[in-house]
Every structure is written in structure tokens, then in C-alpha cells.
Amino acid sequence: MSDHGIGVMASGRGSNLQAIMDACSDGTIPGHVALMISDNPDAYALHRASKENIPAFCINPTSFDTKDQYEQAVSDLFIEYGVELICLAGYMRLVGPVLLKNFVTKMLNIHPALLPSFPGLHAQEQAVSYGVKYSGCTVHVVDEGMDTGPIVLQAVVPVIQDDTPDSLSKRILEQEHKIYPQAIKLLLEGRLKIEGRKVEIL
Ligand code: GRF
């Protein structure tokens, strides 16, 4: 089994980062987290990575004059650490062309809704307010848009009568932790054929 280098970007709690690290440790994912970068110095994700002896840095966008310079620094670090695939895991910024350039079709994101419904922030709150009966989560390839890239995997979660954004988030999160490692595994094994919007699983 080959040992691919995975980069993770997370701005907060890092439970998806944890699921990815766990899936690497138990052999589900044929790779290891080679580097974790946060844009937020207070992100709990930084602690999670450090606890597992994974190189983890905060690169603060406010220390750079432009977004392009910030993204160039992030991209250079990922390349330096041998990262082949970047996984966005609660990274709260829109990825720009400078970061995307070297990772086209090699960058995934997890979103807590069934895209194309409820992109952007507060997806679970949007789902509860709208009154949908089912929501879920989506792993997609990252492109220049906001949660617009080709869809790799989705999991459906029922919305129940008295759900709050919090209770729905918890139910969705359980599925996120299952499908994100699964999608990463498929990509690293070369089992995703991406043609336009369509992703075929080989
Ligand atoms: C998850 O709900 C993910 O879908 C969204 O941000 C949240 C991150 O949670 N993109 P965590 O930091 O992985 O716990």
C-alpha cells in the first residue's frame, strides 16, 4: 500500500481532521497527514495534530499584504512537506487561484449539507429554517466557487421534527466522519474519474 502525503486545512474544532488522522492510523486511508495548516491561531485542530506528532502551523492571513501572498506561503509549505492532496476540514475561507493552482483535482472539501442545497455558512441552520425533511453532507472536489465543485460522495440524514441547528449538526457530523475518509481513500487509490461535473467511482 502506498503512503500518500495528505495536507489538511482547518480553522476550528478539527473533528474531521481527527477522523482523517484516525483513518490513516487504522489503514483505511493509504496515506498519512504530512502537514496541517490553520489560519486561526486558536484552532483546536492545531492541538489535535500536535498530539499526534503531525507538523502543524498557523499561517495567519493577517501577516500578509495580500491573499495571494498568504496562499503562496501555504502552497509552498504543502509542497515542501510532500503533500499530494489537500483536505479542507472546516477551513473557513474561499480558496483562491494561487492555492488551487498546484492542487487542481487534488483538493477536497466537506460541506454539511446536500449540495447544491445550502452552500456557504450555517448550512445546518439554513436546512432547519427551510424545513427540508432530509439534509446531509457532501464531499466535493474544490474549484474556484463556494462549495460548487464536482461531487464525490454524499450521505443523507433525516431532519426530525424538533431539530435545532445543533442537533442536526451532530447527526450530520457523524456521517461526515464516515464519508470524508472514504472519499480520500478513493481519490488516493486513483478510483475517481472526474469529467466536468461528474465523478465516476471506478
Ligand atoms: C464541519 O461541519 C464541516 O462540514 C464544515 O465545517 C465543520 C468543521 O467541523 N465544513 P470540524 O472542525 O471538522 O469539527
Side-chain angles (χ1 to χ4, degrees):
M1 194 199 296
S2 40
D3 189 20
H4 298 281
I6 300 165
V8 177
M9 296 196 82
S11 302
R13 175 179 62 183
S15 71
N16 278 287
L17 163 70
Q18 191 68 54
I20 294 167
M21 293 188 299
D22 292 348
C24 290
S25 302
D26 73 17
T28 305
I29 292 176
H32 63 285
V33 179
L35 178 64
M36 138 62 200
I37 293 179
S38 182
D39 57 333
N40 169 15
D42 300 322
Y44 187 63
L46 286 165
H47 292 276
R48 290 189 193 260
S50 302
K51 264 197 281 179
E52 310 231 358
N53 297 317
I54 286 166
F57 303 115
C58 172
I59 309 286
N60 199 331
T62 60
S63 319
F64 297 82
D65 288 338
T66 65
K67 176 170 174 161
D68 283 0
Q69 286 171 9
Y70 158 69
E71 288 204 336
Q72 190 61 56
V74 170
S75 180
D76 289 349
L77 261 186
F78 277 133
I79 289 166
E80 186 186 327
Y81 277 76
V83 165
E84 299 159 59
L85 165 69
I86 297 178
C87 298
L88 307 182
Y91 176 61
M92 302 306 283
R93 289 170 194 274
L94 192 62
V95 171
V98 172
L99 181 51
L100 197 52
K101 187 178 59 204
N102 291 308
F103 295 95
V104 173
T105 74
K106 300 280 178 224
M107 194 185 296
L108 295 175
N109 181 42
I110 179 110
H111 182 74
L114 291 177
L115 291 170
S117 292
F118 313 129
L121 292 176
H122 311 303
Q124 303 94 330
E125 195 180 313
Q126 292 185 56
V128 169
S129 311
Y130 199 93
V132 290
K133 303 296 187 194
Y134 292 93
S135 189
C137 47
T138 304
V139 179
H140 65 90
V141 176
V142 175
D143 64 9
E144 319 73 41
M146 168 81 80
D147 304 321
T148 50
I151 290 171
V152 178
L153 291 179
Q154 293 185 301
V156 177
V157 167
V159 182
I160 57 181
Q161 195 78 19
D162 296 320
D163 257 337
T164 60
D166 255 14
S167 62
L168 179 60
S169 298
K170 284 198 187 105
R171 203 173 310 117
I172 292 175
L173 199 61
E174 282 176 29
Q175 298 305 314
E176 293 186 32
H177 297 163
K178 291 183 185 156
I179 67 167
Y180 209 1
Q182 209 53 46
I184 294 166
K185 173 187 165 74
L186 290 169
L187 189 145
L188 291 176
E189 288 176 348
R191 292 177 56 201
L192 299 182
K193 188 169 153 208
I194 304 163
E195 281 186 46
R197 284 219 54 82
K198 305 276 177 69
V199 179
E200 189 184 342
I201 298 174
L202 304 172

PDB file of all heavy atoms in Angstrom, residues 79-116:
ATOM      1  N   ILE A  79       3.876  21.912  -0.461  1.00  0.00           N
ATOM      2  CA  ILE A  79       4.771  21.252  -1.424  1.00  0.00           C
ATOM      3  C   ILE A  79       6.047  20.801  -0.715  1.00  0.00           C
ATOM      4  O   ILE A  79       6.512  19.665  -0.888  1.00  0.00           O
ATOM      5  CB  ILE A  79       5.033  22.183  -2.633  1.00  0.00           C
ATOM      6  CG1 ILE A  79       3.743  22.281  -3.461  1.00  0.00           C
ATOM      7  CG2 ILE A  79       6.193  21.661  -3.491  1.00  0.00           C
ATOM      8  CD1 ILE A  79       3.699  23.395  -4.473  1.00  0.00           C
ATOM      9  N   GLU A  80       6.577  21.666   0.143  1.00  0.00           N
ATOM     10  CA  GLU A  80       7.792  21.313   0.903  1.00  0.00           C
ATOM     11  C   GLU A  80       7.600  20.035   1.731  1.00  0.00           C
ATOM     12  O   GLU A  80       8.512  19.227   1.866  1.00  0.00           O
ATOM     13  CB  GLU A  80       8.144  22.495   1.821  1.00  0.00           C
ATOM     14  CG  GLU A  80       9.454  22.342   2.571  1.00  0.00           C
ATOM     15  CD  GLU A  80       9.649  23.489   3.572  1.00  0.00           C
ATOM     16  OE1 GLU A  80       9.197  24.628   3.292  1.00  0.00           O
ATOM     17  OE2 GLU A  80      10.242  23.217   4.640  1.00  0.00           O
ATOM     18  N   TYR A  81       6.388  19.854   2.265  1.00  0.00           N
ATOM     19  CA  TYR A  81       6.122  18.679   3.113  1.00  0.00           C
ATOM     20  C   TYR A  81       5.611  17.467   2.319  1.00  0.00           C
ATOM     21  O   TYR A  81       5.130  16.499   2.897  1.00  0.00           O
ATOM     22  CB  TYR A  81       5.121  19.040   4.229  1.00  0.00           C
ATOM     23  CG  TYR A  81       5.806  19.700   5.406  1.00  0.00           C
ATOM     24  CD1 TYR A  81       6.220  21.029   5.343  1.00  0.00           C
ATOM     25  CD2 TYR A  81       6.080  18.991   6.570  1.00  0.00           C
ATOM     26  CE1 TYR A  81       6.865  21.629   6.404  1.00  0.00           C
ATOM     27  CE2 TYR A  81       6.724  19.582   7.644  1.00  0.00           C
ATOM     28  CZ  TYR A  81       7.115  20.902   7.551  1.00  0.00           C
ATOM     29  OH  TYR A  81       7.761  21.485   8.619  1.00  0.00           O
ATOM     30  N   GLY A  82       5.699  17.546   1.007  1.00  0.00           N
ATOM     31  CA  GLY A  82       5.353  16.383   0.179  1.00  0.00           C
ATOM     32  C   GLY A  82       3.871  16.080   0.102  1.00  0.00           C
ATOM     33  O   GLY A  82       3.478  14.925  -0.093  1.00  0.00           O
ATOM     34  N   VAL A  83       3.049  17.118   0.229  1.00  0.00           N
ATOM     35  CA  VAL A  83       1.597  16.915   0.199  1.00  0.00           C
ATOM     36  C   VAL A  83       1.109  16.736  -1.244  1.00  0.00           C
ATOM     37  O   VAL A  83       1.408  17.534  -2.118  1.00  0.00           O
ATOM     38  CB  VAL A  83       0.882  18.109   0.877  1.00  0.00           C
ATOM     39  CG1 VAL A  83      -0.604  18.136   0.544  1.00  0.00           C
ATOM     40  CG2 VAL A  83       1.108  18.045   2.385  1.00  0.00           C
ATOM     41  N   GLU A  84       0.335  15.649  -1.455  1.00  0.00           N
ATOM     42  CA  GLU A  84      -0.223  15.378  -2.788  1.00  0.00           C
ATOM     43  C   GLU A  84      -1.683  15.778  -2.862  1.00  0.00           C
ATOM     44  O   GLU A  84      -2.221  16.034  -3.927  1.00  0.00           O
ATOM     45  CB  GLU A  84      -0.167  13.875  -3.088  1.00  0.00           C
ATOM     46  CG  GLU A  84       1.217  13.293  -3.107  1.00  0.00           C
ATOM     47  CD  GLU A  84       1.147  11.789  -2.900  1.00  0.00           C
ATOM     48  OE1 GLU A  84       0.498  11.093  -3.698  1.00  0.00           O
ATOM     49  OE2 GLU A  84       1.726  11.317  -1.905  1.00  0.00           O
ATOM     50  N   LEU A  85      -2.356  15.733  -1.720  1.00  0.00           N
ATOM     51  CA  LEU A  85      -3.793  16.017  -1.663  1.00  0.00           C
ATOM     52  C   LEU A  85      -4.061  16.928  -0.474  1.00  0.00           C
ATOM     53  O   LEU A  85      -3.598  16.642   0.637  1.00  0.00           O
ATOM     54  CB  LEU A  85      -4.558  14.694  -1.463  1.00  0.00           C
ATOM     55  CG  LEU A  85      -6.017  14.804  -1.025  1.00  0.00           C
ATOM     56  CD1 LEU A  85      -6.871  15.383  -2.155  1.00  0.00           C
ATOM     57  CD2 LEU A  85      -6.565  13.433  -0.619  1.00  0.00           C
ATOM     58  N   ILE A  86      -4.796  18.019  -0.718  1.00  0.00           N
ATOM     59  CA  ILE A  86      -5.195  18.893   0.394  1.00  0.00           C
ATOM     60  C   ILE A  86      -6.655  18.619   0.744  1.00  0.00           C
ATOM     61  O   ILE A  86      -7.525  18.603  -0.134  1.00  0.00           O
ATOM     62  CB  ILE A  86      -5.035  20.390   0.029  1.00  0.00           C
ATOM     63  CG1 ILE A  86      -3.565  20.727  -0.242  1.00  0.00           C
ATOM     64  CG2 ILE A  86      -5.578  21.286   1.148  1.00  0.00           C
ATOM     65  CD1 ILE A  86      -3.335  22.177  -0.668  1.00  0.00           C
ATOM     66  N   CYS A  87      -6.922  18.417   2.041  1.00  0.00           N
ATOM     67  CA  CYS A  87      -8.299  18.230   2.514  1.00  0.00           C
ATOM     68  C   CYS A  87      -8.689  19.437   3.355  1.00  0.00           C
ATOM     69  O   CYS A  87      -8.060  19.706   4.377  1.00  0.00           O
ATOM     70  CB  CYS A  87      -8.392  16.971   3.362  1.00  0.00           C
ATOM     71  SG  CYS A  87      -7.985  15.503   2.422  1.00  0.00           S
ATOM     72  N   LEU A  88      -9.707  20.144   2.896  1.00  0.00           N
ATOM     73  CA  LEU A  88     -10.240  21.253   3.681  1.00  0.00           C
ATOM     74  C   LEU A  88     -11.212  20.653   4.684  1.00  0.00           C
ATOM     75  O   LEU A  88     -12.122  19.902   4.321  1.00  0.00           O
ATOM     76  CB  LEU A  88     -10.954  22.266   2.782  1.00  0.00           C
ATOM     77  CG  LEU A  88     -10.146  22.799   1.582  1.00  0.00           C
ATOM     78  CD1 LEU A  88     -10.976  23.824   0.807  1.00  0.00           C
ATOM     79  CD2 LEU A  88      -8.823  23.409   2.032  1.00  0.00           C
ATOM     80  N   ALA A  89     -10.982  20.958   5.954  1.00  0.00           N
ATOM     81  CA  ALA A  89     -11.794  20.343   7.007  1.00  0.00           C
ATOM     82  C   ALA A  89     -12.222  21.444   7.966  1.00  0.00           C
ATOM     83  O   ALA A  89     -11.582  21.693   8.977  1.00  0.00           O
ATOM     84  CB  ALA A  89     -10.985  19.266   7.723  1.00  0.00           C
ATOM     85  N   GLY A  90     -13.278  22.167   7.568  1.00  0.00           N
ATOM     86  CA  GLY A  90     -13.703  23.292   8.379  1.00  0.00           C
ATOM     87  C   GLY A  90     -12.756  24.475   8.189  1.00  0.00           C
ATOM     88  O   GLY A  90     -12.496  25.216   9.129  1.00  0.00           O
ATOM     89  N   TYR A  91     -12.258  24.639   6.959  1.00  0.00           N
ATOM     90  CA  TYR A  91     -11.414  25.793   6.618  1.00  0.00           C
ATOM     91  C   TYR A  91     -12.362  26.896   6.151  1.00  0.00           C
ATOM     92  O   TYR A  91     -13.088  26.721   5.164  1.00  0.00           O
ATOM     93  CB  TYR A  91     -10.422  25.413   5.524  1.00  0.00           C
ATOM     94  CG  TYR A  91      -9.566  26.557   5.039  1.00  0.00           C
ATOM     95  CD1 TYR A  91      -8.704  27.225   5.902  1.00  0.00           C
ATOM     96  CD2 TYR A  91      -9.617  26.961   3.701  1.00  0.00           C
ATOM     97  CE1 TYR A  91      -7.917  28.273   5.449  1.00  0.00           C
ATOM     98  CE2 TYR A  91      -8.818  28.005   3.243  1.00  0.00           C
ATOM     99  CZ  TYR A  91      -7.972  28.655   4.125  1.00  0.00           C
ATOM    100  OH  TYR A  91      -7.193  29.693   3.677  1.00  0.00           O
ATOM    101  N   MET A  92     -12.382  27.992   6.886  1.00  0.00           N
ATOM    102  CA  MET A  92     -13.459  28.963   6.725  1.00  0.00           C
ATOM    103  C   MET A  92     -13.163  30.072   5.715  1.00  0.00           C
ATOM    104  O   MET A  92     -13.697  31.179   5.832  1.00  0.00           O
ATOM    105  CB  MET A  92     -13.806  29.583   8.084  1.00  0.00           C
ATOM    106  CG  MET A  92     -14.229  28.558   9.130  1.00  0.00           C
ATOM    107  SD  MET A  92     -15.573  27.496   8.564  1.00  0.00           S
ATOM    108  CE  MET A  92     -16.942  28.628   8.750  1.00  0.00           C
ATOM    109  N   ARG A  93     -12.325  29.787   4.732  1.00  0.00           N
ATOM    110  CA  ARG A  93     -12.045  30.790   3.701  1.00  0.00           C
ATOM    111  C   ARG A  93     -12.250  30.183   2.325  1.00  0.00           C
ATOM    112  O   ARG A  93     -12.081  28.973   2.151  1.00  0.00           O
ATOM    113  CB  ARG A  93     -10.588  31.263   3.776  1.00  0.00           C
ATOM    114  CG  ARG A  93     -10.307  32.101   4.964  1.00  0.00           C
ATOM    115  CD  ARG A  93      -8.826  32.364   5.151  1.00  0.00           C
ATOM    116  NE  ARG A  93      -8.655  32.875   6.480  1.00  0.00           N
ATOM    117  CZ  ARG A  93      -8.777  34.166   6.813  1.00  0.00           C
ATOM    118  NH1 ARG A  93      -8.992  35.065   5.872  1.00  0.00           N
ATOM    119  NH2 ARG A  93      -8.663  34.545   8.064  1.00  0.00           N
ATOM    120  N   LEU A  94     -12.546  31.075   1.377  1.00  0.00           N
ATOM    121  CA  LEU A  94     -12.666  30.643  -0.008  1.00  0.00           C
ATOM    122  C   LEU A  94     -11.256  30.487  -0.571  1.00  0.00           C
ATOM    123  O   LEU A  94     -10.428  31.390  -0.438  1.00  0.00           O
ATOM    124  CB  LEU A  94     -13.448  31.711  -0.782  1.00  0.00           C
ATOM    125  CG  LEU A  94     -13.928  31.331  -2.178  1.00  0.00           C
ATOM    126  CD1 LEU A  94     -14.901  30.151  -2.119  1.00  0.00           C
ATOM    127  CD2 LEU A  94     -14.608  32.533  -2.832  1.00  0.00           C
ATOM    128  N   VAL A  95     -10.986  29.331  -1.162  1.00  0.00           N
ATOM    129  CA  VAL A  95      -9.658  29.092  -1.744  1.00  0.00           C
ATOM    130  C   VAL A  95      -9.532  29.876  -3.049  1.00  0.00           C
ATOM    131  O   VAL A  95     -10.422  29.849  -3.900  1.00  0.00           O
ATOM    132  CB  VAL A  95      -9.458  27.580  -1.997  1.00  0.00           C
ATOM    133  CG1 VAL A  95      -8.196  27.325  -2.809  1.00  0.00           C
ATOM    134  CG2 VAL A  95      -9.398  26.836  -0.673  1.00  0.00           C
ATOM    135  N   GLY A  96      -8.423  30.576  -3.202  1.00  0.00           N
ATOM    136  CA  GLY A  96      -8.185  31.378  -4.405  1.00  0.00           C
ATOM    137  C   GLY A  96      -7.296  30.644  -5.398  1.00  0.00           C
ATOM    138  O   GLY A  96      -6.797  29.546  -5.113  1.00  0.00           O
ATOM    139  N   PRO A  97      -7.091  31.267  -6.554  1.00  0.00           N
ATOM    140  CA  PRO A  97      -6.352  30.606  -7.645  1.00  0.00           C
ATOM    141  C   PRO A  97      -4.913  30.255  -7.288  1.00  0.00           C
ATOM    142  O   PRO A  97      -4.373  29.279  -7.812  1.00  0.00           O
ATOM    143  CB  PRO A  97      -6.406  31.620  -8.794  1.00  0.00           C
ATOM    144  CG  PRO A  97      -6.896  32.899  -8.209  1.00  0.00           C
ATOM    145  CD  PRO A  97      -7.622  32.578  -6.947  1.00  0.00           C
ATOM    146  N   VAL A  98      -4.287  31.014  -6.411  1.00  0.00           N
ATOM    147  CA  VAL A  98      -2.874  30.760  -6.112  1.00  0.00           C
ATOM    148  C   VAL A  98      -2.703  29.428  -5.377  1.00  0.00           C
ATOM    149  O   VAL A  98      -1.808  28.636  -5.686  1.00  0.00           O
ATOM    150  CB  VAL A  98      -2.263  31.934  -5.302  1.00  0.00           C
ATOM    151  CG1 VAL A  98      -0.862  31.607  -4.816  1.00  0.00           C
ATOM    152  CG2 VAL A  98      -2.252  33.204  -6.152  1.00  0.00           C
ATOM    153  N   LEU A  99      -3.591  29.157  -4.442  1.00  0.00           N
ATOM    154  CA  LEU A  99      -3.514  27.885  -3.706  1.00  0.00           C
ATOM    155  C   LEU A  99      -4.027  26.726  -4.557  1.00  0.00           C
ATOM    156  O   LEU A  99      -3.490  25.613  -4.516  1.00  0.00           O
ATOM    157  CB  LEU A  99      -4.300  27.981  -2.388  1.00  0.00           C
ATOM    158  CG  LEU A  99      -4.296  26.750  -1.486  1.00  0.00           C
ATOM    159  CD1 LEU A  99      -2.880  26.247  -1.222  1.00  0.00           C
ATOM    160  CD2 LEU A  99      -4.984  27.058  -0.162  1.00  0.00           C
ATOM    161  N   LEU A 100      -5.041  27.007  -5.346  1.00  0.00           N
ATOM    162  CA  LEU A 100      -5.652  25.934  -6.144  1.00  0.00           C
ATOM    163  C   LEU A 100      -4.719  25.445  -7.258  1.00  0.00           C
ATOM    164  O   LEU A 100      -4.703  24.249  -7.581  1.00  0.00           O
ATOM    165  CB  LEU A 100      -6.969  26.463  -6.735  1.00  0.00           C
ATOM    166  CG  LEU A 100      -7.972  25.440  -7.253  1.00  0.00           C
ATOM    167  CD1 LEU A 100      -8.274  24.378  -6.197  1.00  0.00           C
ATOM    168  CD2 LEU A 100      -9.251  26.138  -7.679  1.00  0.00           C
ATOM    169  N   LYS A 101      -3.937  26.395  -7.788  1.00  0.00           N
ATOM    170  CA  LYS A 101      -3.110  26.143  -8.993  1.00  0.00           C
ATOM    171  C   LYS A 101      -2.393  24.788  -8.986  1.00  0.00           C
ATOM    172  O   LYS A 101      -2.488  24.029  -9.951  1.00  0.00           O
ATOM    173  CB  LYS A 101      -2.098  27.291  -9.083  1.00  0.00           C
ATOM    174  CG  LYS A 101      -1.256  27.348 -10.316  1.00  0.00           C
ATOM    175  CD  LYS A 101      -0.341  28.573 -10.265  1.00  0.00           C
ATOM    176  CE  LYS A 101       0.549  28.510  -9.041  1.00  0.00           C
ATOM    177  NZ  LYS A 101       1.077  29.737  -8.535  1.00  0.00           N
ATOM    178  N   ASN A 102      -1.703  24.476  -7.907  1.00  0.00           N
ATOM    179  CA  ASN A 102      -0.918  23.230  -7.875  1.00  0.00           C
ATOM    180  C   ASN A 102      -1.728  22.026  -7.392  1.00  0.00           C
ATOM    181  O   ASN A 102      -1.191  20.920  -7.304  1.00  0.00           O
ATOM    182  CB  ASN A 102       0.302  23.391  -6.964  1.00  0.00           C
ATOM    183  CG  ASN A 102       1.316  24.342  -7.555  1.00  0.00           C
ATOM    184  OD1 ASN A 102       1.722  24.185  -8.700  1.00  0.00           O
ATOM    185  ND2 ASN A 102       1.686  25.365  -6.802  1.00  0.00           N
ATOM    186  N   PHE A 103      -3.005  22.238  -7.072  1.00  0.00           N
ATOM    187  CA  PHE A 103      -3.791  21.146  -6.488  1.00  0.00           C
ATOM    188  C   PHE A 103      -5.149  20.963  -7.184  1.00  0.00           C
ATOM    189  O   PHE A 103      -6.109  20.529  -6.567  1.00  0.00           O
ATOM    190  CB  PHE A 103      -3.970  21.381  -4.984  1.00  0.00           C
ATOM    191  CG  PHE A 103      -2.669  21.317  -4.227  1.00  0.00           C
ATOM    192  CD1 PHE A 103      -1.947  22.472  -3.951  1.00  0.00           C
ATOM    193  CD2 PHE A 103      -2.141  20.097  -3.840  1.00  0.00           C
ATOM    194  CE1 PHE A 103      -0.735  22.416  -3.275  1.00  0.00           C
ATOM    195  CE2 PHE A 103      -0.921  20.021  -3.176  1.00  0.00           C
ATOM    196  CZ  PHE A 103      -0.217  21.185  -2.890  1.00  0.00           C
ATOM    197  N   VAL A 104      -5.190  21.276  -8.476  1.00  0.00           N
ATOM    198  CA  VAL A 104      -6.443  21.100  -9.224  1.00  0.00           C
ATOM    199  C   VAL A 104      -6.763  19.598  -9.253  1.00  0.00           C
ATOM    200  O   VAL A 104      -5.894  18.780  -9.599  1.00  0.00           O
ATOM    201  CB  VAL A 104      -6.297  21.665 -10.658  1.00  0.00           C
ATOM    202  CG1 VAL A 104      -7.524  21.337 -11.502  1.00  0.00           C
ATOM    203  CG2 VAL A 104      -6.079  23.179 -10.604  1.00  0.00           C
ATOM    204  N   THR A 105      -7.990  19.266  -8.856  1.00  0.00           N
ATOM    205  CA  THR A 105      -8.466  17.876  -8.662  1.00  0.00           C
ATOM    206  C   THR A 105      -7.694  17.129  -7.565  1.00  0.00           C
ATOM    207  O   THR A 105      -7.851  15.922  -7.388  1.00  0.00           O
ATOM    208  CB  THR A 105      -8.489  16.997  -9.950  1.00  0.00           C
ATOM    209  OG1 THR A 105      -7.157  16.647 -10.292  1.00  0.00           O
ATOM    210  CG2 THR A 105      -9.174  17.696 -11.103  1.00  0.00           C
ATOM    211  N   LYS A 106      -6.904  17.869  -6.814  1.00  0.00           N
ATOM    212  CA  LYS A 106      -6.175  17.283  -5.675  1.00  0.00           C
ATOM    213  C   LYS A 106      -6.512  18.058  -4.408  1.00  0.00           C
ATOM    214  O   LYS A 106      -5.659  18.238  -3.530  1.00  0.00           O
ATOM    215  CB  LYS A 106      -4.657  17.340  -5.907  1.00  0.00           C
ATOM    216  CG  LYS A 106      -4.199  16.599  -7.143  1.00  0.00           C
ATOM    217  CD  LYS A 106      -4.112  15.111  -6.882  1.00  0.00           C
ATOM    218  CE  LYS A 106      -3.693  14.352  -8.120  1.00  0.00           C
ATOM    219  NZ  LYS A 106      -4.465  13.143  -8.359  1.00  0.00           N
ATOM    220  N   MET A 107      -7.736  18.569  -4.363  1.00  0.00           N
ATOM    221  CA  MET A 107      -8.198  19.272  -3.168  1.00  0.00           C
ATOM    222  C   MET A 107      -9.664  18.912  -2.941  1.00  0.00           C
ATOM    223  O   MET A 107     -10.485  19.022  -3.843  1.00  0.00           O
ATOM    224  CB  MET A 107      -8.041  20.793  -3.336  1.00  0.00           C
ATOM    225  CG  MET A 107      -8.186  21.541  -2.018  1.00  0.00           C
ATOM    226  SD  MET A 107      -8.141  23.340  -2.176  1.00  0.00           S
ATOM    227  CE  MET A 107      -6.520  23.664  -2.784  1.00  0.00           C
ATOM    228  N   LEU A 108      -9.961  18.457  -1.725  1.00  0.00           N
ATOM    229  CA  LEU A 108     -11.335  18.072  -1.376  1.00  0.00           C
ATOM    230  C   LEU A 108     -11.857  18.955  -0.254  1.00  0.00           C
ATOM    231  O   LEU A 108     -11.074  19.512   0.529  1.00  0.00           O
ATOM    232  CB  LEU A 108     -11.380  16.617  -0.902  1.00  0.00           C
ATOM    233  CG  LEU A 108     -11.036  15.524  -1.907  1.00  0.00           C
ATOM    234  CD1 LEU A 108     -11.016  14.154  -1.225  1.00  0.00           C
ATOM    235  CD2 LEU A 108     -12.029  15.514  -3.076  1.00  0.00           C
ATOM    236  N   ASN A 109     -13.189  19.061  -0.185  1.00  0.00           N
ATOM    237  CA  ASN A 109     -13.823  19.788   0.916  1.00  0.00           C
ATOM    238  C   ASN A 109     -15.015  18.974   1.415  1.00  0.00           C
ATOM    239  O   ASN A 109     -15.616  18.217   0.661  1.00  0.00           O
ATOM    240  CB  ASN A 109     -14.307  21.162   0.442  1.00  0.00           C
ATOM    241  CG  ASN A 109     -14.947  21.968   1.557  1.00  0.00           C
ATOM    242  OD1 ASN A 109     -14.453  21.996   2.691  1.00  0.00           O
ATOM    243  ND2 ASN A 109     -16.070  22.623   1.273  1.00  0.00           N
ATOM    244  N   ILE A 110     -15.351  19.145   2.687  1.00  0.00           N
ATOM    245  CA  ILE A 110     -16.582  18.544   3.224  1.00  0.00           C
ATOM    246  C   ILE A 110     -17.523  19.674   3.603  1.00  0.00           C
ATOM    247  O   ILE A 110     -17.115  20.662   4.225  1.00  0.00           O
ATOM    248  CB  ILE A 110     -16.300  17.610   4.430  1.00  0.00           C
ATOM    249  CG1 ILE A 110     -17.591  17.009   4.997  1.00  0.00           C
ATOM    250  CG2 ILE A 110     -15.539  18.309   5.552  1.00  0.00           C
ATOM    251  CD1 ILE A 110     -17.753  15.571   4.749  1.00  0.00           C
ATOM    252  N   HIS A 111     -18.790  19.524   3.180  1.00  0.00           N
ATOM    253  CA  HIS A 111     -19.787  20.560   3.456  1.00  0.00           C
ATOM    254  C   HIS A 111     -20.985  19.908   4.158  1.00  0.00           C
ATOM    255  O   HIS A 111     -21.453  18.851   3.718  1.00  0.00           O
ATOM    256  CB  HIS A 111     -20.219  21.227   2.148  1.00  0.00           C
ATOM    257  CG  HIS A 111     -21.207  22.325   2.373  1.00  0.00           C
ATOM    258  ND1 HIS A 111     -20.833  23.548   2.900  1.00  0.00           N
ATOM    259  CD2 HIS A 111     -22.547  22.371   2.188  1.00  0.00           C
ATOM    260  CE1 HIS A 111     -21.915  24.300   3.029  1.00  0.00           C
ATOM    261  NE2 HIS A 111     -22.960  23.617   2.595  1.00  0.00           N
ATOM    262  N   PRO A 112     -21.520  20.542   5.212  1.00  0.00           N
ATOM    263  CA  PRO A 112     -22.589  19.907   5.994  1.00  0.00           C
ATOM    264  C   PRO A 112     -23.997  20.131   5.440  1.00  0.00           C
ATOM    265  O   PRO A 112     -24.901  20.548   6.161  1.00  0.00           O
ATOM    266  CB  PRO A 112     -22.416  20.541   7.379  1.00  0.00           C
ATOM    267  CG  PRO A 112     -21.894  21.900   7.081  1.00  0.00           C
ATOM    268  CD  PRO A 112     -21.054  21.787   5.842  1.00  0.00           C
ATOM    269  N   ALA A 113     -24.170  19.849   4.151  1.00  0.00           N
ATOM    270  CA  ALA A 113     -25.497  19.879   3.521  1.00  0.00           C
ATOM    271  C   ALA A 113     -25.415  19.066   2.238  1.00  0.00           C
ATOM    272  O   ALA A 113     -24.322  18.711   1.789  1.00  0.00           O
ATOM    273  CB  ALA A 113     -25.926  21.311   3.202  1.00  0.00           C
ATOM    274  N   LEU A 114     -26.586  18.777   1.675  1.00  0.00           N
ATOM    275  CA  LEU A 114     -26.616  18.055   0.404  1.00  0.00           C
ATOM    276  C   LEU A 114     -26.518  19.083  -0.716  1.00  0.00           C
ATOM    277  O   LEU A 114     -27.539  19.622  -1.168  1.00  0.00           O
ATOM    278  CB  LEU A 114     -27.919  17.253   0.291  1.00  0.00           C
ATOM    279  CG  LEU A 114     -28.062  16.057   1.238  1.00  0.00           C
ATOM    280  CD1 LEU A 114     -29.433  15.417   1.069  1.00  0.00           C
ATOM    281  CD2 LEU A 114     -26.952  15.034   1.015  1.00  0.00           C
ATOM    282  N   LEU A 115     -25.315  19.363  -1.148  1.00  0.00           N
ATOM    283  CA  LEU A 115     -25.129  20.349  -2.221  1.00  0.00           C
ATOM    284  C   LEU A 115     -25.842  19.861  -3.489  1.00  0.00           C
ATOM    285  O   LEU A 115     -25.928  18.668  -3.705  1.00  0.00           O
ATOM    286  CB  LEU A 115     -23.626  20.546  -2.482  1.00  0.00           C
ATOM    287  CG  LEU A 115     -22.869  21.240  -1.344  1.00  0.00           C
ATOM    288  CD1 LEU A 115     -21.354  21.168  -1.579  1.00  0.00           C
ATOM    289  CD2 LEU A 115     -23.305  22.695  -1.200  1.00  0.00           C
ATOM    290  N   PRO A 116     -26.389  20.741  -4.327  1.00  0.00           N
ATOM    291  CA  PRO A 116     -26.182  22.190  -4.289  1.00  0.00           C
ATOM    292  C   PRO A 116     -27.104  22.944  -3.338  1.00  0.00           C
ATOM    293  O   PRO A 116     -27.127  24.173  -3.366  1.00  0.00           O
ATOM    294  CB  PRO A 116     -26.443  22.609  -5.733  1.00  0.00           C
ATOM    295  CG  PRO A 116     -27.454  21.624  -6.218  1.00  0.00           C
ATOM    296  CD  PRO A 116     -27.125  20.333  -5.542  1.00  0.00           C
TER     297      PRO A 116
END
